[in-house]
Amino acid sequence: MVGFGVSIFLITLGAIFKWAIKAHLSGIDLPALGVILMVVGAASFLLQIIMMSRSRNPRRGAEVINDDRNQPPV
C-alpha cells in the first residue's frame, strides 16, 4: 500500500491538473485526469486509515500464552 504522503501527492497533483493547468493536449483530457488522480488519492488515503485502525485493535479471542520466565524456579 502507498503511504499517506503518496496519497496526498496524488490528490494535490489531481487538483493541479483539474484547476490550475489551462493547456489543451490532443487526446488527453487534463481535468478528467485530475479528477481520476484525486479519487485514487482519496481512496488510498481512506484505505490507509482503515488498515491502520485495524492493526491497532487486538484480535478478539487471541490465544494467551503463559510466559513462565519471570516465575521463580520450582
Side-chain angles (χ1 to χ4, degrees), residues 38-69:
M38 287 189 288
V39 168
V40 169
S44 173
F45 191 84
L46 291 175
L47 285 174
Q48 285 289 327
I49 291 174
I50 291 169
M51 296 302 286
M52 190 171 44
S53 69
R54 282 188 173 190
S55 66
R56 287 185 180 175
N57 294 335
R59 296 182 191 175
R60 292 181 183 173
E63 181 181 346
V64 176
I65 298 173
N66 188 5
D67 186 8
D68 291 332
R69 288 184 282 179

Side-chain angles (χ1 to χ4, degrees), residues 3-62:
F4 286 111
V6 176
S7 300
I8 292 171
F9 175 75
L10 288 174
I11 293 170
T12 304
L13 187 63
I16 290 170
F17 280 158
K18 173 73 175 159
W19 291 295
I21 297 177
K22 300 298 180 192
H24 297 284
L25 300 175
S26 62
I28 299 176
D29 187 10
L30 290 179
L33 179 62
V35 171
I36 291 169
L37 288 172
M38 287 189 288
V39 168
V40 169
S44 173
F45 191 84
L46 291 175
L47 285 174
Q48 285 289 327
I49 291 174
I50 291 169
M51 296 302 286
M52 190 171 44
S53 69
R54 282 188 173 190
S55 66
R56 287 185 180 175
N57 294 335
R59 296 182 191 175
R60 292 181 183 173

